[in-house]
């Protein structure tokens, strides 16, 4: 599992749990809806700034948010985790 895919799963679940649309989350975080869609699709890796903005917008602690990503990747063997940046999927 790629890290951006784990992040996508955690972000999507946190947004759903908060009862927010992608547009709501974009407005709260100051990020664009397009960027939120890309993150949730696993097509983009978030910057550190984006992780902080998203955690704050979702009323989560950054370390809790990151730990959920880690726990998600822990569900698969370490040799299956892809640490490479996302490829252009056009």
């Amino acid at each position: 599992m790629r890290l951006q895919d784990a992040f996508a799963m955690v972000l999507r679940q946190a947004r759903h749990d908060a009862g927010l649309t992608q547009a709501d989350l974009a407005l709260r975080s100051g990020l664009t809806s397009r960027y939120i869609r890309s993150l949730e699709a696993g097509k983009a890796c978030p910057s550190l700034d984006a992780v902080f903005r998203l955690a704050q917008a979702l009323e989560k602690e950054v370390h809790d948010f990151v730990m959920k990503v880690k726990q998600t990747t822990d569900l698969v063997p370490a040799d299956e985790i892809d640490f490479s940046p996302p490829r252009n999927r056009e």
Side-chain angles (χ1 to χ4, degrees), residues 24-44:
D24 293 334
L25 182 55
L27 187 62
R28 282 188 176 193
S29 65
L31 302 170
T32 66
S33 293
R34 184 177 183 183
Y35 185 54
I36 301 294
R37 281 192 304 276
S38 292
L39 290 171
E40 288 192 2
K43 294 181 179 178

Side-chain angles (χ1 to χ4, degrees), residues 16-72:
H16 282 280
D17 291 348
L20 300 174
T21 65
Q22 290 177 337
D24 293 334
L25 182 55
L27 187 62
R28 282 188 176 193
S29 65
L31 302 170
T32 66
S33 293
R34 184 177 183 183
Y35 185 54
I36 301 294
R37 281 192 304 276
S38 292
L39 290 171
E40 288 192 2
K43 294 181 179 178
C45 281
S47 66
L48 187 56
D49 178 67
V51 172
F52 273 79
R53 287 173 179 239
L54 290 165
Q56 183 177 18
L58 293 164
E59 299 178 355
K60 304 279 185 194
E61 294 293 330
V62 173
H63 64 275
D64 292 334
F65 201 69
V66 172
M67 276 308 283
K68 289 214 183 262
V69 173
K70 182 185 181 312
Q71 290 168 349
T72 301

